[in-house]
Amino acid sequence: MGGGFAITMTPALPMSPAERHAQLVREIDAHNYRYYVLDDPLISDAAFDALLRELRALEDEHPDLVTPDSPTQRVGGEARTSVTQVRHAVRMMSLDNAYSPEELAEFHRRVVEGLPDGEAPRFCVEPKLDGASVEVVYERGRLVQASTRGDGETGEDITPNVRTIKSLPLRIAHPGRLTIRGEVVIYRRDLEALNAEREAGGLEPFANPRNAAAGAVRMLDPREVARRPLRVLLYQVVEAAEIAATQHESLAWLEEHGLPTHRRHTVVDWDGVQGAIDAIDRARDGYPFETDGAVIKIDSLRHQDVLGMTSKFPKWAMAYKFAAEQARTKLLDIVVQVGRTGALTPVAALEPTPLAGTTVSRATLHNADVVAALDARKGDYVFIQKAGEVIPQVVGVDTEARRGHPARFRMPEACPVCGTPVVRDLKDAEKPELGLEAATRCPNRACPEQVKQRIFYFARRFAMDVDHLGTALVEQLVDGGIVRDVADLYALSAERVADLERMGDKSAQNVVASIARSRERTLDRLLCGLGIPQIGQVAARQLAEEAGTLEQLLAWTPEQAREHVYAIRGFGPKMVESVVAFVQDPEQRALLAKLQELGVGRPQPRAQVASEGPLVGASFCVTGVLSRKRDDVHADIRAAGGEVHDSVKRTTTYLVAGDKTGKSKLDQARKYGTKVITEAQLGELLRGGGQG
Ligand code: AMP
Ligand code: ZN
């Protein structure tokens, strides 16, 4: 591995602050590379955080040591207020498309014609990454500029946003000016986590990684961008002749310099091109990123030069697009659902049809604008597709197959559940960059459907984790006026529940016991369950740690709330405003006070990991039945400097396996090389018995 990415161990000799600073910067860069580019971290998240903390402390003490390429400087301060244009030195072209082997053969014919007699080109076949294109420029080894493609001639300056992408080094070992192009993407697994977080914060999940990535690169506030798990995968060096003779060598050069590439290309003769394309098509489900086709490039840069370009495309490359898997089915109805925030969402009720491995009977239509753009009407035959392989979506209407004159869909003027006149939220419509469109909502917070949805949400695993709260039960509780908000759940008696239809004594007791147990959840879980806009699981935990208790949260004046929340790391202005609005809202305050009186929500422990102790640098996942409560074991581990993981991750050092440890945990441990130990062995380690 070149580019100064060797990881050095901290020597015992004392160092000057400047030397230590340089060393920390190198180490952190190297760990970022292992983590984000190679996907193969060497140290735990906690050990990494410790390095970053040390660097921050050092820079606080010696501000003169801070350089723009320090890892602490990735997220620059202020939001942009305007957009600066950047002229591309070499035009960013799009690619000519082929959809069939015939069109591909045609491409080959033109290539052979354009090259000197007898020269048979080789081809570099790569995945076509589905994200947003960027150009980055390094000068004297420093990342100095990043821009969007724009119209090809000029793009937008997005340097502060791209600097937040940790897989992209801020420094490289190359003295000259270097312009590189690539794609900003979000890995599928990262999108799942991001969507869970958004959902927990009451935001609409992204339909696919591309939308999430494309929206993020142009956002005005780099702090918001830093919250999105963006990555860059580079695929082209502009004017690469300086560093290589072929496309595949220029990709290798990028890798050697610690720059992220897709690492999925093959070099073949013409005979091998179709096979290489098919191989990518078969393998792409297993790639971490979305791939919507293959790009076939002439490998030799000299050949590329000879062929040149048209006004739109390079003549030496071709994109081969894969067809997304689609199905055609009947749209039985468009039903309008009311969500927990009152948002009205049109949903397609479909004749059940198989699609990419599952049977689909519902698909989201997002909002009225989407339905209007599709012009989907009841009884139509529609095409559906899985967006980012998660949520099925209606992508088109087979208008030829329409019979008669079905009415156009219209959003109802009143809530279909409570009859309250709806409101159109125009403020969302003005922010297309957030992926939000005009939302229609029922403004009645007491709307029975909203109350039901809030209860289901409150009960979810990541929030208060209440079992046995089924649909039939919640409907009876809310429709019968027995429960008006989540706090009322805690006043339910088993007798009252047993009186309801289809509820036996046993299930009534189960549900009431499960509700009672949820009183013990910590404040972060409670805040999560209340669904504060913009605040997901991680943010809820930070907020809970800042407040400590529900009392304290309620005691804050608006000024204090703003001050406290503003100080939380990573909280942007929107999050601050959302929390301040939430704690000042009279209805929310009343609910919080009611919950406090009912004794719901434990004080939030500060999850301090000790910086010294026998377990520093080690991480643990504790599972199975132990002689003590799991929380107590966690506390002991943290007090000894160890880190606690909820599940066995690649970076977990030890799995502490109690009785009845699940097979899946053990399998994970085997997969990641995590050492499996007993509770007694953990005791040894805690007493300083040495890790090994
Ligand atoms: P299109 O926008 O459909 O004309 O396709 C051209 C775009 O494909 C380029 O601007 C790139 O953003 C993108 N692209 C994705 N993967 C690659 C790749 N491996 N090589 C070149 N371009 C790519
Ligand atoms: Zn309503």
Side-chain angles (χ1 to χ4, degrees), residues 338 342 344 415-420 442-444 446-450:
V338 182
L344 265 50
C415 169
V417 178
C418 71
T420 309
C442 162
N444 171 20
C447 171
E449 189 58 30
Q450 290 188 41

Side-chain angles (χ1 to χ4, degrees), residues 488-540:
D488 286 344
L489 293 172
Y490 294 94
L492 285 175
S493 67
E495 293 74 45
R496 187 80 185 82
V497 176
D499 276 350
L500 298 170
E501 262 172 64
R502 278 177 296 160
M503 286 299 291
D505 285 348
K506 186 75 199 139
S507 23
Q509 277 161 17
N510 281 343
V511 116
V512 171
S514 185
I515 293 169
R517 270 198 303 280
S518 75
R519 272 177 217 266
E520 302 302 317
R521 310 273 179 261
T522 40
L523 181 58
D524 61 330
R525 307 274 296 268
L526 177 62
L527 293 175
C528 236
L530 296 174
I532 308 171
Q534 310 278 344
I535 304 300
Q537 264 173 285
V538 177

Side-chain angles (χ1 to χ4, degrees), residues 69 93 96 126 196 227 256 281 284 412 421 478 516 538 563 625:
D69 54 2
M93 303 228 168
D96 203 357
E126 310 177 6
R227 305 185 71 85
E256 276 161 25
D281 194 9
R284 68 190 167 116
V478 175
V538 177
E563 223 168 89
V625 182

